[in-house]
Amino acid sequence: VSGPRGTSPARVLVVGGEPNARGMLGEFATLKGYTVRAVSHGADAIRAVVEDPPDVVLLDIEMPGLAGTDALMAIRAVAPYVKVIMVSAVSDADLAQRAQARGAFDYVTKPADMG
């Protein structure tokens, strides 16, 4: 898996308030060959995207402070080309549809054992 023009591994920013879930998502992405950074809050995610835009953001919907859907809109505003995949502990078709309407690339449900 490579970034633009095949030069380096794609860069993934993992955003989630729950340390275990954030760690598991980061470990999964690392094992797939991605370069991973992780932050715990939506505001930190926006700063990280502005400072060094990743190729993909894995963004937890449930976070303290700035909610994932609000962070999504801010990320799309500052970096419209970054792919944002919303991650949730629950499968919710309505929420998935709303997230994609706000600019999410995809919506996935994390396994129950990820917290």
Side-chain angles (χ1 to χ4, degrees):
V1 177
S2 60
R5 297 174 304 284
T7 56
S8 62
R11 296 170 303 141
V12 176
L13 176 64
V14 177
V15 186
E18 215 300 309
N20 289 337
R22 193 171 59 242
M24 291 180 84
L25 284 171
E27 184 176 323
F28 175 78
T30 299
L31 289 172
K32 293 292 184 182
Y34 299 106
T35 300
V36 177
R37 286 183 296 158
V39 297
S40 59
H41 301 287
D44 293 339
I46 296 162
R47 271 192 294 280
V49 167
V50 168
E51 291 170 4
D52 185 19
D55 298 300
V56 176
V57 175
L58 297 177
L59 180 60
D60 198 346
I61 288 177
E62 302 284 328
M63 290 185 295
L66 187 64
T69 51
D70 294 330
L72 165 66
M73 292 191 303
I75 290 168
R76 301 300 300 147
V78 299
Y81 50 87
V82 171
K83 303 282 191 251
V84 180
I85 299 173
M86 303 302 293
V87 180
S88 177
V90 296
S91 180
D92 181 334
D94 184 51
L95 183 56
Q97 186 176 30
R98 285 196 320 264
Q100 288 179 317
R102 291 181 176 181
F105 179 74
D106 202 355
Y107 173 98
V108 298
T109 305
K110 58 186 169 186
D113 64 352
M114 287 184 68

